[in-house]
Amino acid sequence: MKRKGWVWLLTLVLSLQVILAACSGNNNSGSGGGTSGGSQQPNTGGNNSSGGVVEIVMWHMEEPPNRVQRFQEIADAFNAANPDIRVIPQVQSWGDAYTRFPAAIQAGKGPDLLFTIPDYTTLINSLGVTQPVDDIVADLDAKHKFLDAALSPYQYDGHTWAVPVYGMVQVLWYRKDILDEAGIEAPKTWNDLKAAVEKLTTKDRYGIALPASRSLATDQVIYTFMITSGAKDIIDENNNVTFNNEKTVRAYQMYADLLKFSPPDSNTYQWGEPQAQFNAGKAAMAIEKGQYLSVFEEESGRPASDLGVVPMPVADGGEEGSIYYSNGIMVMTDDPAKKEAIKRFFDYLLEPETYGKFLNAEPGLFLPVTESGSKADSFWNDPVIQKYKPQVDVLLKASEKGQLFGFTKGVSQKVGQISGPNYLSQVLEQIAINGLSPADAVAWGQQQMENAVK
Amino acid sequence: MKVFRYVIGILLTILIVFPFYWIIVSSLKPADQILQPDLFPKSFTLEHYRQLFTQTSFLTNMKNSVIVSVCSMAVNVLIVVPAGFALYRMKFPGRKLISRLILATYIFPGILLLVPVYQMMASLDLVDSLLSLVIINVTFSAPFSIWLMHGFFDAVPLDLDEAASVDGAGRLRILNQIVLPLIVPGIATISIYSFIMAWTEFAFASVLIVDDNLRTLPIGLNAIMGQYTVRWGWTTAGAVLTLLPVAIFFALVGRYFVKGLTQGAVK
Amino acid sequence: MDALSKGKLFNKVLPFLLVAPIVVWLVITIIVPLFSVVKESFYSTGFVGTKGAFVGFDNYRNTILSSTYWNAWGKSLVWVLGNALLQSILAFGIALLLNRKTRFNEFARTWMIIPWVIPTIVVVIMWQWILNGSYGIFNHLLQTLHLIDKPVNLIGHSFWSMPMVIFINTWHWFPFMAVIILAGMSTINEEIYEAADIDGVNKWQKFWKITFPSLGKVTFALGLVGTLWSFNIFDTIYFLTQGGPAGKTTTIPVLIYQQAFESYRLGQASATSIVTALILIVYAYFFIKFLGPKDE
């Protein structure tokens, strides 16, 4: 009789074992749909290959499916041509990049290659895992000639910290059909812009759609206003914060004024919503980067010629320009076999035949950062680029005047402490939600930033 | 008075039902109509669902959610039932202390634990494994489960235990052969509870899993939302797909759960 | 040892063996991490995983002296009380309605809990969709009724964001509360109600003098556990507003998350967590002392 009790206990314990084994065993069944396209050890970072194939895990933050797909195709083509290497792209979100990746990288669970923007690199560098890419870049520079604006944000402390791969620049998008109807010309100055926005706002339409949420998207548009107001220097290489000045206040005043002509839920907007409003004809203008090209016709129902674009209007006594992001890829592994494989991958990526295809994962948004790339057929022959050639030219020209906060006066290595918590948008919130005057809000912002980089 | 009851009843019903109706109906509208406030769609399409299945890793996410939830459910039962038997039917020193300890785990905001649990999992090399999710899910559902089992264990008279031990049965045998069958409704209740809790868990799932092949459904859904362009078709369809499995599960066993919750609450 | 004492020993040890798994589990996954949090609170750790310098009680001082922290407490109190109030009203309302035995009520009693069953993120999406500031059906309704002429963005509104978030969380949780309340109500003897009817007592009095007091144990449990659970909610608020706009919905859990993951100050976040936990323990102690059932 006692035996029966033990049988029960044994069964209980055994089933526990089986269940736990099943649960942990399932870690390794990657596969199924998804972006990795195959089953493999999900443990990334320091994990070496299986059976002689060097695996390179690459994290990028380009979430829209068309970009995910194109990156996968590029990786697949490389993998096919190099059977001893396997590049594995995985998609993440920018939100996670700032909040979760530092922890993951610290725990050794980071990727081998990590896409980045300049301020993000300064943040990740403080973890001490990033590998200098001086040799790779010197080599590629000799072959393809990097644009200075794209390379310099990644060069400091005697090293280069990422390989630039594409640039993004903001411009002023406008609905040509709507402006023509109202008899307005594309604005060149802030006064023009203000007048146009007022005139274009009617009962069922807004002159402009601006993001006002606390996010990277809003930070970016605010900064474009700051540049054109003449206030592009926020922080210098010694981490001195020079945010509080009258040109900055002027920029915020302008933004707050324009917000009155933007949809009421603007404070929930990031990158997607202004575009949705623009394409639906609910907003006549938007200030953003090049992603407006590829979906314009489909989403607006209008011809490509209705997509107007001009450089960002300038304020009196301000300066031409807009925010420019050199996007790069950081190398996070020190394994020699992987580094070798990575070099080959970069060579492949920046070859003119491949490079254009890579850039056109999102035509117009990803702009070439090399001279050879800006001449490449693979870039210019894309149907979307062809269709929107005038707009692309405007984008390329605007890149020449691109700026990025934290990188205007040398490289501020603590700028990540300002972009992470989105202080630029927070100042806007103080004005729009808490009713502070722009002067007070900017002074508050100065205080916050100084504390953050202490 | 009766009219009043009726009206309140209808309002409450609409309050509960409408969001479901609206999200399902919206997910079936074609992309160009989804932004129109038509209460009843002018045309139907399954396009968003098709795209979700083919263009996103939704199915993988669903598979992961099922694995994690079922395992969490099973482990939860395996550790709660024996503990419940000991706490509520046996006398031993430290019984009260352990009861209090378990209750105390309610106090702390889960968010506090996010970082240290991550670090602990990292040192055990369990980051990026579904097992880490199961572990933390059980942690969060066990205390309430133990509390729920109180009523169920109490409902089985102690006389039965005594009668059995007079017959020479060991304590373990009493647990297995006599008490266990009688508390099956309780087991069902805590199983369902832990399944639901595991299915919805977000904060830890987002921090502990980095590989997108191991993401659970809520994380996958969130990823769909946070994109450069806003796709309400995908978002609403994704929301429907995320709630569907747990809703179906509930349709099958919900009755027992509510009954169990009712019984368990009355201790 | 002979067979008899072996058996006795086993029986003595058995309860500990049975309780061991859950105790070990909770100790490892809650108590041990808690020690880690306490330790971190004395360091100036920035990023998760990096090493900070020992700073003694600096982090604690910063927390206690920070207006941001106490503002967050204010938000948390509004959050907890708002939820308690709204959920109670709705939960009691629905429980009273369903207390009679009808076929519809049987069905409703099971299915009304569905808002609690579905994942939080789905609840958030549902309501964001309904309340959307441009296309939401709620705005459409208000406009049709001519209550407003342009759509409003309630969730991102400086005043309405907190009430809205409270409402959405209430929608998610009140049916669960209702089930518990119904359970409590089912123990109330029918005869008491019948006697009251004979005495000519009206509905309100019946509720306050019979129903409510009899639910003492249930309301106590709901009060203690409910408020703690409510206080600790993070997902819902963060999904909906990320603590915004301009910090209007930044409750304590949201603040802690922001300190750790957005401002990259882990040491600070740990200190904030410990201070908060201590305050909650004091609250729980007094709650149990003064409002607890007097039998245990």
Side-chain angles (χ1 to χ4, degrees), chain A residues 23 35 42 63 100 104 109 272, chain B residues 71 118 125 130 206 211-212 226 228:
Chain A
C23 293
T35 54
E63 293 174 285
R100 292 197 299 118
K109 291 290 169 182
Chain B
C71 290
Y118 182 88
D125 202 29
L130 296 181
S206 79
D211 184 352
D212 50 356
Y228 272 70

Side-chain angles (χ1 to χ4, degrees), chain B residues 3-266:
Chain B
V3 173
F4 185 64
R5 271 184 94 98
Y6 213 54
V7 166
I8 301 279
I10 296 200
L11 285 178
L12 283 173
T13 310
I14 295 181
L15 180 67
I16 291 181
V17 173
F18 182 73
F20 288 89
Y21 173 77
W22 188 235
I23 201 130
I24 293 175
V25 146
S26 300
S27 69
L28 296 170
K29 289 182 185 171
D32 55 352
Q33 285 176 31
I34 199 168
L35 300 178
Q36 309 296 332
D38 306 321
L39 277 179
F40 197 74
K42 292 204 182 77
S43 48
F44 288 87
T45 175
L46 286 177
E47 183 59 18
H48 306 302
Y49 291 94
R50 197 186 61 82
Q51 288 180 353
L52 273 181
F53 285 131
T54 57
Q55 290 188 36
T56 68
S57 43
F58 227 71
L59 281 176
T60 312
N61 297 340
M62 193 174 295
K63 182 190 73 156
N64 293 327
S65 273
V66 170
I67 294 174
V68 170
S69 300
V70 168
C71 290
S72 304
M73 178 173 79
V75 176
N76 189 57
V77 169
L78 283 171
I79 70 169
V80 165
V81 171
F85 185 76
L87 285 174
Y88 303 130
R89 300 182 87 74
M90 300 172 92
K91 291 207 183 323
F92 59 95
R95 189 174 83 151
K96 262 224 158 130
L97 174 65
I98 294 181
S99 260
R100 294 267 160 81
L101 171 73
I102 295 177
L103 193 69
T105 55
Y106 280 167
I107 305 247
F108 298 100
I111 200 74
L112 270 106
L113 298 177
L114 205 56
V115 170
V117 165
Y118 182 88
Q119 290 173 316
M120 182 174 71
M121 294 295 178
S123 60
L124 292 172
D125 202 29
L126 279 176
V127 170
D128 235 9
S129 82
L130 296 181
L131 182 59
S132 66
L133 295 187
V134 172
I135 292 177
I136 201 71
N137 282 334
V138 171
T139 300
F140 286 131
S141 56
F144 190 68
S145 302
I146 279 249
W147 184 77
L148 275 180
M149 288 307 291
H150 196 350
F152 289 99
F153 274 110
D154 278 357
V156 180
L158 277 165
D159 303 341
L160 281 181
D161 287 25
E162 285 170 16
S165 74
V166 163
D167 281 349
R171 303 290 335 238
L172 264 189
R173 223 186 127 223
I174 296 175
L175 167 62
N176 293 327
Q177 293 194 318
I178 298 175
V179 179
L180 210 59
L182 290 174
I183 56 166
V184 162
I187 296 183
T189 305
I190 64 172
S191 304
I192 298 169
Y193 173 77
S194 49
F195 185 91
I196 292 174
M197 290 285 102
W199 192 267
T200 181
E201 205 289 316
F202 190 94
F204 284 86
S206 79
V207 161
L208 288 169
I209 301 285
V210 264
D211 184 352
D212 50 356
N213 276 337
L214 291 175
R215 287 187 186 149
T216 54
L217 214 47
I219 313 291
L221 179 58
N222 192 43
I224 289 183
M225 285 168 58
Q227 289 187 7
Y228 272 70
T229 51
V230 179
R231 293 168 173 257
W232 280 109
W234 280 26
T235 306
T236 47
V240 172
L241 285 179
T242 306
L243 71 84
L244 212 53
V246 75
I248 292 177
F249 181 60
F250 189 77
L252 297 173
V253 299
R255 218 160 24 116
Y256 304 105
F257 176 65
V258 175
K259 257 210 200 117
L261 200 57
T262 306
Q263 232 183 308
V266 181

Side-chain angles (χ1 to χ4, degrees), chain A residues 402-426:
Chain A
Q403 305 284 351
L404 184 57
F405 61 94
F407 299 87
T408 54
K409 279 196 142 156
V411 172
S412 156
Q413 294 194 42
K414 287 199 163 177
V415 67
Q417 306 286 348
I418 293 182
S419 49
N422 306 118
Y423 280 122
L424 292 179
S425 332
Q426 286 202 43

Side-chain angles (χ1 to χ4, degrees), chain C residues 10 29 32 40 59-60 78 80 99 115 118 125 135 137 139-140 146 162 164 176 207 231 247-248 256 261 268 278 296:
Chain C
F10 177 69
T29 58
V32 168
E40 283 297 351
N59 288 331
Y60 284 94
V78 170
V80 170
N99 205 18
I118 61 177
I125 290 177
Y135 320 110
I137 189 92
N139 266 314
H140 180 75
H146 297 294
M162 181 59 103
M164 280 291 108
F176 184 80
F207 177 73
F231 184 92
K248 295 267 187 254
I256 292 175
F261 294 100
Q268 186 68 57
L278 290 173
E296 276 196 308

Side-chain angles (χ1 to χ4, degrees), chain A residues 70-138:
Chain A
R70 181 59 64 88
F71 285 10
Q72 186 66 54
E73 285 166 10
I74 302 276
D76 287 342
F78 177 76
N79 295 339
N82 297 273
D84 55 331
I85 306 177
R86 177 117 138 262
V87 170
I88 305 165
Q90 293 190 344
V91 66
Q92 308 282 356
S93 77
W94 271 114
D96 285 345
Y98 281 90
T99 55
R100 292 197 299 118
F101 290 7
I105 293 170
Q106 197 67 35
K109 291 290 169 182
D112 300 308
L113 288 176
L114 180 58
F115 273 58
T116 184
I117 48 181
D119 64 281
Y120 189 61
T121 298
T122 66
L123 211 57
I124 297 293
N125 277 359
S126 60
L127 295 171
V129 182
T130 323
Q131 303 291 314
V133 290
D134 307 8
D135 298 331
I136 299 181
V137 165

